[in-house]
PDB file of all heavy atoms in Angstrom:
ATOM      1  N   LEU X  55     -45.163  43.527 -18.230  1.00 92.00           N
ATOM      2  CA  LEU X  55     -46.470  43.823 -18.840  1.00 92.00           C
ATOM      3  C   LEU X  55     -46.545  43.300 -20.273  1.00 92.00           C
ATOM      4  O   LEU X  55     -47.579  42.747 -20.677  1.00 92.00           O
ATOM      5  CB  LEU X  55     -46.751  45.326 -18.795  1.00 92.00           C
ATOM      6  CG  LEU X  55     -47.038  45.895 -17.406  1.00 92.00           C
ATOM      7  CD1 LEU X  55     -47.105  47.414 -17.462  1.00 92.00           C
ATOM      8  CD2 LEU X  55     -48.304  45.317 -16.832  1.00 92.00           C
ATOM      9  N   ARG X  62     -51.843  36.800 -22.281  1.00 93.00           N
ATOM     10  CA  ARG X  62     -53.290  37.026 -22.231  1.00 93.00           C
ATOM     11  C   ARG X  62     -53.941  36.784 -23.595  1.00 93.00           C
ATOM     12  O   ARG X  62     -55.010  36.187 -23.688  1.00 93.00           O
ATOM     13  CB  ARG X  62     -53.590  38.428 -21.729  1.00 93.00           C
ATOM     14  CG  ARG X  62     -55.070  38.664 -21.491  1.00 93.00           C
ATOM     15  CD  ARG X  62     -55.324  40.059 -20.909  1.00 93.00           C
ATOM     16  NE  ARG X  62     -56.566  40.052 -20.195  1.00 93.00           N
ATOM     17  CZ  ARG X  62     -56.707  40.135 -18.891  1.00 93.00           C
ATOM     18  NH1 ARG X  62     -55.644  40.228 -18.128  1.00 93.00           N
ATOM     19  NH2 ARG X  62     -57.888  40.118 -18.329  1.00 93.00           N
ATOM     20  N   THR X  82     -59.004  32.412 -13.170  1.00 90.00           N
ATOM     21  CA  THR X  82     -58.028  32.755 -12.132  1.00 90.00           C
ATOM     22  C   THR X  82     -56.820  33.448 -12.740  1.00 90.00           C
ATOM     23  O   THR X  82     -56.344  34.467 -12.213  1.00 90.00           O
ATOM     24  CB  THR X  82     -57.594  31.487 -11.372  1.00 90.00           C
ATOM     25  OG1 THR X  82     -58.751  30.867 -10.798  1.00 90.00           O
ATOM     26  CG2 THR X  82     -56.602  31.813 -10.277  1.00 90.00           C
ATOM     27  N   LEU X  83     -56.316  32.911 -13.846  1.00 90.00           N
ATOM     28  CA  LEU X  83     -55.162  33.511 -14.510  1.00 90.00           C
ATOM     29  C   LEU X  83     -55.462  34.947 -14.937  1.00 90.00           C
ATOM     30  O   LEU X  83     -54.677  35.860 -14.677  1.00 90.00           O
ATOM     31  CB  LEU X  83     -54.756  32.667 -15.722  1.00 90.00           C
ATOM     32  CG  LEU X  83     -53.489  33.107 -16.427  1.00 90.00           C
ATOM     33  CD1 LEU X  83     -52.683  31.896 -16.861  1.00 90.00           C
ATOM     34  CD2 LEU X  83     -53.769  33.964 -17.633  1.00 90.00           C
ATOM     35  N   LEU X  84     -56.611  35.159 -15.559  1.00 93.00           N
ATOM     36  CA  LEU X  84     -56.969  36.511 -16.017  1.00 93.00           C
ATOM     37  C   LEU X  84     -57.159  37.466 -14.840  1.00 93.00           C
ATOM     38  O   LEU X  84     -56.783  38.645 -14.915  1.00 93.00           O
ATOM     39  CB  LEU X  84     -58.224  36.451 -16.886  1.00 93.00           C
ATOM     40  CG  LEU X  84     -58.060  35.682 -18.205  1.00 93.00           C
ATOM     41  CD1 LEU X  84     -59.394  35.565 -18.929  1.00 93.00           C
ATOM     42  CD2 LEU X  84     -57.012  36.311 -19.092  1.00 93.00           C
ATOM     43  N   ARG X  85     -57.719  36.973 -13.754  1.00 94.00           N
ATOM     44  CA  ARG X  85     -57.910  37.808 -12.560  1.00 94.00           C
ATOM     45  C   ARG X  85     -56.552  38.221 -11.976  1.00 94.00           C
ATOM     46  O   ARG X  85     -56.353  39.383 -11.594  1.00 94.00           O
ATOM     47  CB  ARG X  85     -58.743  37.036 -11.532  1.00 94.00           C
ATOM     48  CG  ARG X  85     -59.189  37.859 -10.356  1.00 94.00           C
ATOM     49  CD  ARG X  85     -60.185  37.136  -9.435  1.00 94.00           C
ATOM     50  NE  ARG X  85     -59.816  35.767  -9.101  1.00 94.00           N
ATOM     51  CZ  ARG X  85     -60.430  34.670  -9.581  1.00 94.00           C
ATOM     52  NH1 ARG X  85     -61.428  34.774 -10.424  1.00 94.00           N
ATOM     53  NH2 ARG X  85     -60.030  33.474  -9.209  1.00 94.00           N
ATOM     54  N   GLU X  86     -55.604  37.274 -11.936  1.00 91.00           N
ATOM     55  CA  GLU X  86     -54.265  37.595 -11.421  1.00 91.00           C
ATOM     56  C   GLU X  86     -53.555  38.575 -12.359  1.00 91.00           C
ATOM     57  O   GLU X  86     -52.864  39.485 -11.898  1.00 91.00           O
ATOM     58  CB  GLU X  86     -53.435  36.315 -11.253  1.00 91.00           C
ATOM     59  CG  GLU X  86     -53.949  35.372 -10.187  1.00 91.00           C
ATOM     60  CD  GLU X  86     -53.948  35.966  -8.789  1.00 91.00           C
ATOM     61  OE1 GLU X  86     -53.068  36.791  -8.469  1.00 91.00           O
ATOM     62  OE2 GLU X  86     -54.839  35.602  -8.004  1.00 91.00           O
ATOM     63  N   GLN X  87     -53.752  38.415 -13.661  1.00 94.00           N
ATOM     64  CA  GLN X  87     -53.158  39.362 -14.605  1.00 94.00           C
ATOM     65  C   GLN X  87     -53.751  40.758 -14.420  1.00 94.00           C
ATOM     66  O   GLN X  87     -53.025  41.749 -14.536  1.00 94.00           O
ATOM     67  CB  GLN X  87     -53.374  38.898 -16.039  1.00 94.00           C
ATOM     68  CG  GLN X  87     -52.420  37.818 -16.467  1.00 94.00           C
ATOM     69  CD  GLN X  87     -52.512  37.548 -17.948  1.00 94.00           C
ATOM     70  OE1 GLN X  87     -53.591  37.564 -18.532  1.00 94.00           O
ATOM     71  NE2 GLN X  87     -51.374  37.303 -18.569  1.00 94.00           N
ATOM     72  N   ASP X  88     -55.039  40.855 -14.151  1.00 96.00           N
ATOM     73  CA  ASP X  88     -55.662  42.165 -13.923  1.00 96.00           C
ATOM     74  C   ASP X  88     -54.992  42.888 -12.757  1.00 96.00           C
ATOM     75  O   ASP X  88     -54.775  44.101 -12.815  1.00 96.00           O
ATOM     76  CB  ASP X  88     -57.168  42.013 -13.661  1.00 96.00           C
ATOM     77  CG  ASP X  88     -57.942  41.626 -14.915  1.00 96.00           C
ATOM     78  OD1 ASP X  88     -57.417  41.844 -16.035  1.00 96.00           O
ATOM     79  OD2 ASP X  88     -59.070  41.103 -14.770  1.00 96.00           O
ATOM     80  N   LYS X  89     -54.663  42.147 -11.712  1.00 94.00           N
ATOM     81  CA  LYS X  89     -53.960  42.753 -10.565  1.00 94.00           C
ATOM     82  C   LYS X  89     -52.607  43.312 -11.008  1.00 94.00           C
ATOM     83  O   LYS X  89     -52.243  44.437 -10.650  1.00 94.00           O
ATOM     84  CB  LYS X  89     -53.736  41.712  -9.461  1.00 94.00           C
ATOM     85  CG  LYS X  89     -54.971  41.269  -8.735  1.00 94.00           C
ATOM     86  CD  LYS X  89     -54.576  40.237  -7.679  1.00 94.00           C
ATOM     87  CE  LYS X  89     -55.771  39.507  -7.134  1.00 94.00           C
ATOM     88  NZ  LYS X  89     -55.371  38.440  -6.177  1.00 94.00           N
ATOM     89  N   VAL X  90     -51.871  42.508 -11.798  1.00 93.00           N
ATOM     90  CA  VAL X  90     -50.554  42.940 -12.267  1.00 93.00           C
ATOM     91  C   VAL X  90     -50.685  44.173 -13.150  1.00 93.00           C
ATOM     92  O   VAL X  90     -49.948  45.154 -12.982  1.00 93.00           O
ATOM     93  CB  VAL X  90     -49.835  41.791 -13.025  1.00 93.00           C
ATOM     94  CG1 VAL X  90     -48.551  42.283 -13.686  1.00 93.00           C
ATOM     95  CG2 VAL X  90     -49.554  40.630 -12.085  1.00 93.00           C
ATOM     96  N   PHE X  91     -51.641  44.152 -14.094  1.00 94.00           N
ATOM     97  CA  PHE X  91     -51.833  45.299 -14.988  1.00 94.00           C
ATOM     98  C   PHE X  91     -52.180  46.562 -14.207  1.00 94.00           C
ATOM     99  O   PHE X  91     -51.678  47.646 -14.500  1.00 94.00           O
ATOM    100  CB  PHE X  91     -52.930  45.009 -16.017  1.00 94.00           C
ATOM    101  CG  PHE X  91     -52.560  43.965 -17.039  1.00 94.00           C
ATOM    102  CD1 PHE X  91     -53.501  43.051 -17.477  1.00 94.00           C
ATOM    103  CD2 PHE X  91     -51.286  43.879 -17.569  1.00 94.00           C
ATOM    104  CE1 PHE X  91     -53.184  42.090 -18.427  1.00 94.00           C
ATOM    105  CE2 PHE X  91     -50.940  42.925 -18.516  1.00 94.00           C
ATOM    106  CZ  PHE X  91     -51.903  42.033 -18.942  1.00 94.00           C
ATOM    107  N   THR X  92     -53.039  46.434 -13.218  1.00 94.00           N
ATOM    108  CA  THR X  92     -53.456  47.591 -12.423  1.00 94.00           C
ATOM    109  C   THR X  92     -52.287  48.171 -11.633  1.00 94.00           C
ATOM    110  O   THR X  92     -52.077  49.389 -11.622  1.00 94.00           O
ATOM    111  CB  THR X  92     -54.591  47.197 -11.458  1.00 94.00           C
ATOM    112  OG1 THR X  92     -55.693  46.715 -12.229  1.00 94.00           O
ATOM    113  CG2 THR X  92     -55.037  48.380 -10.612  1.00 94.00           C
ATOM    114  N   LEU X  93     -51.528  47.307 -10.977  1.00 93.00           N
ATOM    115  CA  LEU X  93     -50.448  47.793 -10.120  1.00 93.00           C
ATOM    116  C   LEU X  93     -49.243  48.320 -10.896  1.00 93.00           C
ATOM    117  O   LEU X  93     -48.560  49.233 -10.428  1.00 93.00           O
ATOM    118  CB  LEU X  93     -50.005  46.686  -9.163  1.00 93.00           C
ATOM    119  CG  LEU X  93     -51.033  46.333  -8.080  1.00 93.00           C
ATOM    120  CD1 LEU X  93     -50.614  45.083  -7.334  1.00 93.00           C
ATOM    121  CD2 LEU X  93     -51.209  47.500  -7.116  1.00 93.00           C
ATOM    122  N   LEU X  94     -48.968  47.753 -12.069  1.00 93.00           N
ATOM    123  CA  LEU X  94     -47.782  48.178 -12.817  1.00 93.00           C
ATOM    124  C   LEU X  94     -48.058  49.258 -13.859  1.00 93.00           C
ATOM    125  O   LEU X  94     -47.125  49.726 -14.514  1.00 93.00           O
ATOM    126  CB  LEU X  94     -47.119  46.972 -13.491  1.00 93.00           C
ATOM    127  CG  LEU X  94     -46.493  45.942 -12.550  1.00 93.00           C
ATOM    128  CD1 LEU X  94     -45.840  44.828 -13.338  1.00 93.00           C
ATOM    129  CD2 LEU X  94     -45.489  46.597 -11.618  1.00 93.00           C
ATOM    130  N   ARG X  95     -49.326  49.658 -13.989  1.00 91.00           N
ATOM    131  CA  ARG X  95     -49.671  50.708 -14.957  1.00 91.00           C
ATOM    132  C   ARG X  95     -48.864  51.969 -14.645  1.00 91.00           C
ATOM    133  O   ARG X  95     -48.745  52.389 -13.498  1.00 91.00           O
ATOM    134  CB  ARG X  95     -51.167  51.015 -14.882  1.00 91.00           C
ATOM    135  CG  ARG X  95     -51.602  52.020 -15.946  1.00 91.00           C
ATOM    136  CD  ARG X  95     -53.069  52.348 -15.862  1.00 91.00           C
ATOM    137  NE  ARG X  95     -53.892  51.154 -15.876  1.00 91.00           N
ATOM    138  CZ  ARG X  95     -54.903  50.929 -15.037  1.00 91.00           C
ATOM    139  NH1 ARG X  95     -55.213  51.820 -14.133  1.00 91.00           N
ATOM    140  NH2 ARG X  95     -55.603  49.833 -15.107  1.00 91.00           N
ATOM    141  N   LEU X 103     -43.052  50.588  -6.702  1.00 89.00           N
ATOM    142  CA  LEU X 103     -44.257  50.264  -5.937  1.00 89.00           C
ATOM    143  C   LEU X 103     -43.953  50.206  -4.445  1.00 89.00           C
ATOM    144  O   LEU X 103     -42.831  49.870  -4.047  1.00 89.00           O
ATOM    145  CB  LEU X 103     -44.801  48.896  -6.363  1.00 89.00           C
ATOM    146  CG  LEU X 103     -45.342  48.757  -7.768  1.00 89.00           C
ATOM    147  CD1 LEU X 103     -45.631  47.291  -8.067  1.00 89.00           C
ATOM    148  CD2 LEU X 103     -46.605  49.579  -7.930  1.00 89.00           C
ATOM    149  N   ASP X 107     -47.550  46.341  -2.371  1.00 84.00           N
ATOM    150  CA  ASP X 107     -47.947  46.137  -3.766  1.00 84.00           C
ATOM    151  C   ASP X 107     -46.947  45.250  -4.509  1.00 84.00           C
ATOM    152  O   ASP X 107     -47.330  44.463  -5.376  1.00 84.00           O
ATOM    153  CB  ASP X 107     -48.097  47.477  -4.487  1.00 84.00           C
ATOM    154  CG  ASP X 107     -49.326  48.246  -4.030  1.00 84.00           C
ATOM    155  OD1 ASP X 107     -50.216  47.638  -3.405  1.00 84.00           O
ATOM    156  OD2 ASP X 107     -49.398  49.464  -4.318  1.00 84.00           O
ATOM    157  N   VAL X 110     -47.913  41.791  -3.737  1.00 80.00           N
ATOM    158  CA  VAL X 110     -49.109  41.399  -4.498  1.00 80.00           C
ATOM    159  C   VAL X 110     -48.721  41.047  -5.929  1.00 80.00           C
ATOM    160  O   VAL X 110     -49.176  40.037  -6.477  1.00 80.00           O
ATOM    161  CB  VAL X 110     -50.176  42.524  -4.466  1.00 80.00           C
ATOM    162  CG1 VAL X 110     -51.308  42.226  -5.424  1.00 80.00           C
ATOM    163  CG2 VAL X 110     -50.699  42.714  -3.052  1.00 80.00           C
ATOM    164  N   VAL X 111     -47.860  41.870  -6.552  1.00 83.00           N
ATOM    165  CA  VAL X 111     -47.414  41.589  -7.922  1.00 83.00           C
ATOM    166  C   VAL X 111     -46.648  40.266  -7.968  1.00 83.00           C
ATOM    167  O   VAL X 111     -46.897  39.424  -8.834  1.00 83.00           O
ATOM    168  CB  VAL X 111     -46.546  42.744  -8.482  1.00 83.00           C
ATOM    169  CG1 VAL X 111     -45.860  42.338  -9.781  1.00 83.00           C
ATOM    170  CG2 VAL X 111     -47.384  43.988  -8.696  1.00 83.00           C
ATOM    171  N   ASN X 113     -46.826  37.683  -5.911  1.00 81.00           N
ATOM    172  CA  ASN X 113     -47.743  36.561  -5.700  1.00 81.00           C
ATOM    173  C   ASN X 113     -48.621  36.311  -6.933  1.00 81.00           C
ATOM    174  O   ASN X 113     -48.893  35.164  -7.280  1.00 81.00           O
ATOM    175  CB  ASN X 113     -48.607  36.795  -4.462  1.00 81.00           C
ATOM    176  CG  ASN X 113     -47.818  36.676  -3.178  1.00 81.00           C
ATOM    177  OD1 ASN X 113     -46.771  36.028  -3.137  1.00 81.00           O
ATOM    178  ND2 ASN X 113     -48.287  37.313  -2.127  1.00 81.00           N
ATOM    179  N   SER X 114     -49.058  37.383  -7.559  1.00 84.00           N
ATOM    180  CA  SER X 114     -49.870  37.224  -8.770  1.00 84.00           C
ATOM    181  C   SER X 114     -49.056  36.573  -9.885  1.00 84.00           C
ATOM    182  O   SER X 114     -49.548  35.673 -10.579  1.00 84.00           O
ATOM    183  CB  SER X 114     -50.402  38.571  -9.237  1.00 84.00           C
ATOM    184  OG  SER X 114     -51.343  39.071  -8.316  1.00 84.00           O
ATOM    185  N   LEU X 115     -47.815  37.014 -10.066  1.00 84.00           N
ATOM    186  CA  LEU X 115     -46.961  36.418 -11.098  1.00 84.00           C
ATOM    187  C   LEU X 115     -46.668  34.951 -10.791  1.00 84.00           C
ATOM    188  O   LEU X 115     -46.627  34.116 -11.702  1.00 84.00           O
ATOM    189  CB  LEU X 115     -45.665  37.206 -11.250  1.00 84.00           C
ATOM    190  CG  LEU X 115     -45.812  38.604 -11.852  1.00 84.00           C
ATOM    191  CD1 LEU X 115     -44.479  39.356 -11.785  1.00 84.00           C
ATOM    192  CD2 LEU X 115     -46.328  38.550 -13.270  1.00 84.00           C
ATOM    193  N   SER X 117     -48.701  32.949  -9.122  1.00 79.00           N
ATOM    194  CA  SER X 117     -49.952  32.239  -9.400  1.00 79.00           C
ATOM    195  C   SER X 117     -50.106  31.979 -10.891  1.00 79.00           C
ATOM    196  O   SER X 117     -50.492  30.883 -11.317  1.00 79.00           O
ATOM    197  CB  SER X 117     -51.150  33.044  -8.897  1.00 79.00           C
ATOM    198  OG  SER X 117     -51.127  33.141  -7.507  1.00 79.00           O
ATOM    199  N   ILE X 118     -49.802  32.992 -11.692  1.00 84.00           N
ATOM    200  CA  ILE X 118     -49.872  32.855 -13.156  1.00 84.00           C
ATOM    201  C   ILE X 118     -48.908  31.766 -13.621  1.00 84.00           C
ATOM    202  O   ILE X 118     -49.268  30.896 -14.422  1.00 84.00           O
ATOM    203  CB  ILE X 118     -49.567  34.204 -13.843  1.00 84.00           C
ATOM    204  CG1 ILE X 118     -50.692  35.200 -13.552  1.00 84.00           C
ATOM    205  CG2 ILE X 118     -49.360  34.024 -15.343  1.00 84.00           C
ATOM    206  CD1 ILE X 118     -50.346  36.635 -13.871  1.00 84.00           C
TER     207      ILE X 118
END
Side-chain angles (χ1 to χ4, degrees):
L55 290 172
R62 187 177 204 110
T82 302
L83 186 141
L84 295 174
R85 189 172 46 252
E86 294 298 328
Q87 281 189 322
D88 289 340
K89 290 180 194 176
V90 172
F91 291 142
T92 300
L93 290 170
L94 293 182
R95 185 181 307 133
L103 294 171
D107 288 344
V110 171
V111 169
N113 289 337
S114 292
L115 291 173
S117 294
I118 292 165

